Amino acid sequence: RSFVIVPEQQSVEMEQQLSTNVGDVYNMCCEVLNFDRLPERIFRDVGGVKEKYIDSAGKDIILGGVLAELSESLEQYKNTYRSAEHIKKILSELEQLKRYRMTPESLTELSKKLALSDAKLSKKLSDLSLILASYNSKFAESLDPSDSMERLIEKIDGMDYFDGMNVYIDGYYSYTGKEMALIGEGLKSAKDVFITFCLDDDEMFSENVRTYKAVTRLASSLHVKTRDIVLTTNVRHKTNQLRHLEANMWNYGAKRIP
């Protein structure tokens, strides 16, 4: 059994490539997913798919109530509950914090560290700590969809869910904290994990290089041996014109292709 994990916008193309190269039987042993769809897929195996999730409108209402309750305790976000635009912006900030596994406690700690060097940012982080803690406490009977990845990581921790499986991850430039944690679960128990990185010495690939190093450190911390497979031939582009363009994108002295 194999999971192929690619960004949502590449899923259809990947399915077409698998169908062309492997045949229509590929879906008997291989599934194309992305990180957002992965929790629901695994929950079907290990339980949890029937949980009640709240929609975006419901999250706006909950956060508006939280901001109103905390208004007098906040400094940078005081009275923001009166603006629907501000509520949506703060909700986006909370979801971004969750992606990187930031907790109210970690925000409070960071706020204290920045109290002298950046008072404004320190106050903002302190506000966000209060907001995030209160917001999370409102989900007793229903769940925030943005927490599904965290629930999945907790659910499969120690289960060796990926045991015997091949996992292929392609098309990503970086990974959030939750995605890295899930990659770690795969590294610990999967038969093989293949992760592609588009790398070069050029500065424009610096983010890709940082991600490659982060994944390598993660594997090392889990005592998982890694091996680099360097692809020197451009197999993605099928025409000479595209290969020439890829090789000489920033070479202003390159010859014109016939």
Side-chain angles (χ1 to χ4, degrees):
R1 188 167 62 136
S2 299
F3 280 173
V4 179
I5 303 173
V6 296
E8 177 66 29
Q9 64 270 24
Q10 296 181 21
S11 59
V12 173
E13 180 183 357
M14 179 59 70
E15 289 171 348
Q16 291 173 341
Q17 290 181 5
L18 287 170
S19 180
T20 299
N21 297 321
V22 181
D24 292 338
V25 296
Y26 84 88
N27 54 17
M28 299 293 291
C29 59
C30 179
E31 296 180 62
V32 178
L33 301 160
N34 59 59
F35 281 110
D36 289 334
R37 290 166 49 200
L38 195 57
E40 181 181 355
R41 170 61 188 86
I42 297 179
F43 282 145
R44 293 207 302 266
D45 289 338
V46 300
V49 74
K50 293 184 178 181
E51 300 287 0
K52 180 182 177 182
Y53 289 95
I54 197 163
D55 60 17
S56 57
K59 291 194 290 183
D60 287 347
I61 293 172
I62 290 174
L63 181 57
V66 166
L67 293 172
E69 291 174 3
L70 295 175
S71 184
E72 295 304 316
S73 303
L74 303 176
E75 295 191 61
Q76 297 295 314
Y77 291 94
K78 187 183 292 290
N79 296 325
T80 50
Y81 68 92
R82 297 176 178 175
S83 168
E85 183 179 352
H86 283 147
I87 290 173
K88 290 185 179 297
K89 182 178 179 181
I90 295 171
L91 181 60
S92 177
E93 291 177 352
L94 295 183
E95 291 180 345
Q96 186 72 1
L97 289 170
K98 288 186 176 186
R99 288 190 189 99
Y100 287 91
R101 309 190 83 183
M102 297 295 289
T103 64
E105 293 76 18
S106 61
L107 290 172
T108 297
E109 186 66 25
L110 187 56
S111 172
K112 291 177 180 178
K113 290 181 179 179
L114 294 172
L116 296 178
S117 59
D118 194 332
K120 185 175 181 179
L121 179 56
S122 174
K123 291 177 182 178
K124 180 177 180 179
L125 292 172
S126 178
D127 282 0
L128 286 172
S129 175
L130 292 173
I131 295 168
L132 182 58
S134 182
Y135 179 76
N136 286 341
S137 71
K138 303 299 182 182
F139 290 89
E141 298 181 359
S142 57
L143 299 172
D144 184 348
S146 63
D147 291 333
S148 60
M149 182 74 80
E150 190 69 39
R151 290 182 57 252
L152 173 62
I153 295 166
E154 295 173 358
K155 187 82 172 179
I156 65 175
D157 182 35
M159 288 181 61
D160 292 338
Y161 174 81
F162 296 98
D163 186 34
M165 185 184 298
N166 293 310
V167 179
Y168 303 86
I169 305 175
D170 182 35
Y172 292 91
Y173 300 107
S174 62
Y175 301 100
T176 67
K178 292 181 181 180
E179 290 166 354
M180 286 289 285
L182 194 55
I183 289 172
E185 291 296 327
L187 288 171
K188 286 189 289 186
S189 60
K191 177 182 178 182
D192 283 305
V193 177
F194 296 88
I195 306 176
T196 63
F197 299 93
C198 185
L199 303 177
D200 206 336
D201 295 330
D202 196 287
E203 177 64 24
M204 67 183 298
F205 293 95
S206 58
E207 182 178 4
N208 307 53
V209 172
R210 285 194 296 270
T211 303
Y212 162 76
K213 290 180 178 179
V215 172
T216 302
R217 287 195 300 271
L218 173 62
S220 178
S221 70
L222 297 172
H223 307 291
V224 175
K225 293 182 179 180
T226 62
R227 179 168 64 95
D228 290 346
I229 302 173
V230 181
L231 303 178
T232 57
T233 303
N234 185 346
V235 297
R236 188 181 296 273
H237 303 120
K238 297 181 180 180
T239 67
N240 291 332
Q241 290 85 352
L242 285 175
R243 291 194 182 100
H244 181 79
L245 180 63
E246 181 272 334
N248 298 281
M249 175 67 76
W250 308 112
N251 180 10
Y252 298 107
K255 294 181 179 180
R256 183 175 181 178
I257 191 169

